[in-house]
Amino acid sequence: MQLPYVHRVTKYDPADRDEHGHYTGTLDTVSDHGAIEASYLQAVDAFAADTGVDRLSVREPHIPSLEDFGLGGLLPTGLAEFHDGTEVPIGTALELVRLMLRDSGLWCRLEVEGTFAVHVGWDQYLYVGSSRPCEEALVRTRALGLFPERLDSSPYDMETDGENVQRPGDDDFWARLHWAVATYGAGLLEEMYIEGVSRWHRLTYDTIDTVRAGIAPRALLAVWPDLSSDIAAVLGGLPTEGLVEGVWQDKDGRIHSAIADEDEFSELAARMSGADAAALLSVSAEERTPLFTAVMPDNDGVVRARWRTEPTPSDRNWAFLKTLHRGEIVTGTVTHIADFGVTFVDIGGFEAMINVPEVSWRHISHPSEVVSVGQRISAEVLDADPIRERVALSLKALQEDPMRQLIGQVGRTVVGRVTKLVPFGVFVRIEERANGFEGLVHTAELADEHLETPQLGIQVGDALTVKILDVDPTRRRITLSHRQAVFEL
């Protein structure tokens, strides 16, 4: 939400700007660590008081490395508490502003959603947004010797892509992670709760829940294939130039990571050479593609973190599966019919499948008897499984079950063809078509001359007079009697 009253607050007199808006005066573009810096903080405090704000939230924190940056004296647990969503009192917020004015390397937005925001920009430019006009704060700011200028918006407002549905790190995500580790060896979790710094966790099926319990609030998560124990092969994959990130596990089980360019490859290789397991990851956004990603939701299950992961193919699958519901009708194109009988269908870029029993109500030897590659079909969604990323469809669900038409023939006597001999009776096809329905004549329902040896004198292909005793479409069973049919003749 864009705040209606936004001001840029600086120590620079607008009269000292050229026609392009560039400052031409003599003031330094760094903090004086003194009276002017204190004026900035007093101005922020005045705007907060005018808005009725005494606590602010840290949003999208950033640090260049895992150092304290003075946070130990501000937050109870230091760096561990410097994460998206941490609420701090106005006094702590002002100290964070001081650190940012001093270009310490630490940066974050300080906001109260829909009400108030403080953004520290380059060269001592400060941006304050409020839901109120803050007339008293403006007077106070000018009295402090600073220059507030009205803007339409802060250049540091968070821009979000409304079309990108972010996968949450919820129970389904962790169930997917359990499945991935057990099935195809995903074993490395990257956790970024401060922009620019990652913590790495090597996973086993038994340690996932422990790792989950220690994940920072609103952290970005990326799942990678497991580290390799073939260190020589990993180091042999170092490129000739460019940036790479090395991730490795030492003999004590600790995970380390480092980014290096070609001038630092030898040092990186030396550090990784004694590792138990390692991997090299590209730093390029175009080439850095994990298996799947997520952002941790708040305790109520809502994702309030505004930063987003770049969606992977698996993330796009999740977003698509999220739109599907059991019983929904989808249309797609048959892409492949496997030798083992599964029919694959492209439904909006996702490949769903139809198992043989769901192709037709009638018996078929192969799906190609009903569908062909390239054919457009409609089918019903039986299940959309986001954990295994599978969608099961049914073609026959959109067709009337022809077996139900036989219910009206219960009690009738028909002549059918014997299709199979079994120890407990014989099967007889009662429809005059190649894939007609078959029913069972149990041994007890054969005529007297067949009771001792049911197959005696009966062969596959023989015509047999039978009475239809029962048709059960749910259990796919038809019960027949030869004995009763002969008795009624």
Side-chain angles (χ1 to χ4, degrees), residues 188-192 194-201 220-225 227 243-248 255-260 268 279-293 308-313 315-316:
L188 192 62
L189 180 67
E190 181 182 9
E191 172 196 3
M192 190 178 79
I194 303 175
E195 187 176 349
V197 177
S198 294
R199 293 192 298 201
W200 296 86
H201 309 273
L220 281 79
L221 306 178
V223 180
W224 299 88
L227 301 176
L243 286 173
V244 296
E245 181 170 13
V247 182
W248 67 96
I255 305 292
H256 306 269
S257 69
I259 295 176
L268 178 63
L280 293 175
L281 304 176
S282 173
V283 175
S284 167
E286 293 77 15
E287 299 175 3
R288 190 181 177 91
T289 305
L291 299 173
F292 52 100
T293 68
R308 293 290 182 262
T309 61
E310 186 65 29
T312 68
D315 296 337
R316 294 187 184 94

Side-chain angles (χ1 to χ4, degrees), residues 40 88 114 127 168 207 226 267 271 287 336 358 381 395 418 428 444:
Y40 273 108
V88 296
Y127 300 87
T207 61
D226 197 9
E267 179 183 347
R271 295 179 67 186
E287 299 175 3
H336 178 60
E358 295 300 327
V381 175
L395 187 62
V418 176
V428 178

Side-chain angles (χ1 to χ4, degrees), residues 111-343:
E111 299 181 356
V112 177
E113 186 175 3
T115 303
F116 190 69
V118 179
H119 304 153
V120 179
W122 292 103
D123 299 336
Q124 307 291 288
Y125 281 79
L126 186 73
Y127 300 87
V128 182
S130 177
S131 58
R132 302 178 184 177
C134 297
E135 296 295 345
E136 292 184 10
L138 290 170
V139 171
R140 173 66 174 152
T141 299
R142 294 185 182 100
L144 289 166
L146 301 178
F147 300 91
E149 300 172 81
R150 182 76 180 271
L151 301 177
D152 292 332
S153 62
S154 165
Y156 294 90
D157 282 341
M158 183 68 178
E159 295 183 5
T160 57
D161 184 358
E163 297 181 359
N164 180 17
V165 179
Q166 176 62 56
R167 185 180 202 160
D170 55 10
D171 289 344
D172 281 350
F173 169 84
W174 292 96
R176 167 74 176 162
L177 186 53
H178 270 101
W179 181 85
V181 169
T183 304
Y184 57 84
L188 192 62
L189 180 67
E190 181 182 9
E191 172 196 3
M192 190 178 79
Y193 69 97
I194 303 175
E195 187 176 349
V197 177
S198 294
R199 293 192 298 201
W200 296 86
H201 309 273
R202 196 176 186 193
L203 305 173
T204 67
Y205 191 84
D206 295 328
T207 61
I208 293 175
D209 290 338
T210 302
V211 170
R212 179 183 183 180
I215 295 295
R218 301 188 179 181
L220 281 79
L221 306 178
V223 180
W224 299 88
D226 197 9
L227 301 176
S228 170
S229 59
D230 190 343
I231 305 301
V234 171
L235 296 180
L238 279 168
T240 56
E241 60 181 16
L243 286 173
V244 296
E245 181 170 13
V247 182
W248 67 96
Q249 184 176 41
D250 65 22
K251 301 297 183 182
D252 297 324
R254 292 172 298 187
I255 305 292
H256 306 269
S257 69
I259 295 176
D261 60 19
E262 58 271 16
D263 295 331
E264 302 165 315
F265 283 169
S266 58
E267 179 183 347
L268 178 63
R271 295 179 67 186
M272 297 175 65
S273 60
D276 270 357
L280 293 175
L281 304 176
S282 173
V283 175
S284 167
E286 293 77 15
E287 299 175 3
R288 190 181 177 91
T289 305
L291 299 173
F292 52 100
T293 68
V295 171
M296 289 299 292
D298 290 348
N299 291 333
D300 59 2
V302 177
V303 175
R304 293 188 176 86
R306 297 178 300 198
W307 45 24
R308 293 290 182 262
T309 61
E310 186 65 29
T312 68
S314 177
D315 296 337
R316 294 187 184 94
N317 288 344
W318 168 84
F320 177 73
L321 294 180
K322 184 179 171 64
T323 68
L324 296 181
H325 307 282
R326 290 183 181 180
E328 180 179 349
I329 308 303
V330 295
T331 300
T333 303
V334 176
T335 58
H336 178 60
I337 303 175
D339 293 338
F340 51 86
V342 173
T343 301

Side-chain angles (χ1 to χ4, degrees), residues 54-56 74-75 87-95:
D54 59 6
R55 297 184 67 83
L56 291 92
L74 295 180
L75 303 174
E87 273 200 8
V88 296
I90 184 64
T92 302
L94 294 176
E95 290 305 314

Side-chain angles (χ1 to χ4, degrees), residues 8 12 52 80 92 118 126 131 145 156 166 216 228 266 348 373 404 439 454 458 475 478 482 489:
R8 179 173 62 193
Y12 309 119
T92 302
V118 179
L126 186 73
S131 58
Y156 294 90
Q166 176 62 56
S228 170
S266 58
V373 173
R404 295 190 178 277
I458 299 179
R475 302 172 67 191
I478 299 174
H482 175 51
L489 291 177

